[in-house]
Amino acid sequence: MTQPINDREQFQESGALSVETITYVHHWTDSLFTLKMSRPASFRFRSGEFVMIGLPGDNGKPLLRAYSMASPSYEEEIEFLSIKVQDGPLTSRLQHIKVGDPVYLGKKPTGTLVTDALLPGKRLFMLSTGTGLAPFMSLVRDPEVYGMYDEVIVVHSVRHKEELAYRDLLESKLEGDPLLEDEDRAKMIYVPTVTREDFRTTGRIQTLIDNGELFKDSKGPQHFVPDEDRVMLCGSMAMIKDHAADLEARGFEEGANNKPGQFVIERAFVG
């Protein structure tokens, strides 16, 4: 029998895992929610990275999955965006978590959706589907990112408009953010798109690239320019595969932490 989430005695700290406390939960839809947890003083990460989080499994061993941090690297709490998979070993339980409950947090964040893995450029495009928005919520709230680019363009594609997590915050251009200057917020462009119902922008991201809709609010070229544009991809495996192939066909080269390039991808997803 699965132990209750709030049974702290079932959690064991280790060299790889700390036990943290849930501080905030918000359910966007029946299948999408945000959670925040306490942050150890020793926990450091680069905006855009991911880490393992989890709960004790039926066998008592930690059941862990990779989640991108949705909070910027300076925040005192750590924020995550998750789907709810009813038969998922972890998310079927994590969706019921409440403020005050314990949770496992890995001690070694990592990932390639970071500015270090990109060559210098003029525009940064963050292309996401579903919960793939999470690492971009970290990056778009990081003042250092705006010092690197003339424009920071956040693209979020979902099936239904209710799934546009953080929509109000992004449409306000991060109004009220304590560390972003007005000139930083002026550089941020938000492009939400919906595929299965009417909305001001509809269609998959590839459609918006092909018809130019993706670039309409940019002051730069109305198409991708490999020498100037940098692209991050986060979403389903099919989405990443398709867009990576499209970018390579346009002359973009994939980057990594040890060899920066013109676009980067992340393969860690919640299941």
Side-chain angles (χ1 to χ4, degrees), residues 55-264:
L55 300 168
D58 291 339
N59 60 2
K61 295 181 180 179
L63 177 62
L64 306 170
R65 293 290 185 271
Y67 277 76
S68 294
M69 269 74 71
S71 47
S73 58
Y74 59 81
E75 281 285 350
E76 294 182 359
E77 298 173 320
I78 310 174
E79 184 175 345
F80 300 93
L81 178 64
S82 178
I83 55 172
K84 305 175 186 179
V85 181
Q86 300 310 319
D87 58 353
L90 179 59
T91 55
S92 61
R93 295 171 56 208
L94 197 63
Q95 65 182 303
H96 300 297
I97 207 160
K98 295 179 174 59
V99 172
D101 285 346
V103 63
Y104 280 124
L105 172 69
K107 295 182 179 180
K108 291 187 176 181
T110 188
T112 52
L113 290 178
V114 292
T115 55
D116 291 346
L118 290 172
L119 294 166
K122 293 184 177 180
R123 296 188 295 189
L124 175 60
F125 290 85
M126 305 175 185
L127 309 185
S128 66
T129 58
T131 55
L133 177 67
F136 302 151
M137 289 307 301
S138 176
L139 284 153
V140 80
R141 290 185 276 187
D142 188 334
E144 291 187 2
V145 173
Y146 295 92
M148 301 176 184
Y149 299 95
D150 296 336
E151 292 181 338
V152 176
I153 301 167
V154 185
V155 185
H156 190 203
S157 174
V158 297
R159 293 169 299 176
H160 303 284
K161 56 189 176 186
E162 66 175 5
E163 298 167 342
L164 289 170
Y166 301 100
R167 176 183 169 187
D168 290 347
L169 179 62
L170 291 168
E171 285 186 335
S172 76
K173 288 184 175 283
L174 309 168
E175 184 176 358
D177 190 287
L179 293 189
L180 294 183
E181 303 289 346
D182 288 345
E183 53 263 39
D184 296 333
R185 296 171 56 232
K187 291 182 177 183
M188 200 275 283
I189 297 172
Y190 173 47
V191 184
T193 184
V194 174
T195 61
R196 295 190 182 177
E197 63 179 319
D198 289 338
F199 189 65
R200 65 175 184 266
T201 305
T202 58
R204 296 178 180 273
I205 295 174
Q206 190 62 55
T207 301
L208 305 188
I209 294 171
D210 294 339
N211 66 18
E213 188 81 2
L214 192 81
F215 310 92
K216 68 176 184 178
D217 293 325
S218 172
K219 297 176 182 177
Q222 298 297 289
H223 54 83
F224 280 135
V225 181
D227 288 343
E228 299 179 358
D229 293 332
R230 302 295 171 255
V231 186
M232 293 179 166
L233 304 175
C234 194
S236 68
M237 291 302 292
M239 174 267 196
I240 286 182
K241 182 179 179 181
D242 290 347
H243 282 289
D246 178 70
L247 288 169
E248 288 175 346
R250 296 172 188 268
F252 285 74
E253 292 187 5
E254 184 180 348
N257 281 295
N258 60 354
K259 187 183 178 183
Q262 294 154 318
F263 79 95
V264 287

Side-chain angles (χ1 to χ4, degrees), residues 16-18 20 37 40 43 51-53 78 103-107:
L17 298 170
S18 65
E20 302 306 320
M37 66 181 66
F43 189 83
V51 72
M52 306 302 288
I53 69 171
I78 310 174
V103 63
Y104 280 124
L105 172 69
K107 295 182 179 180

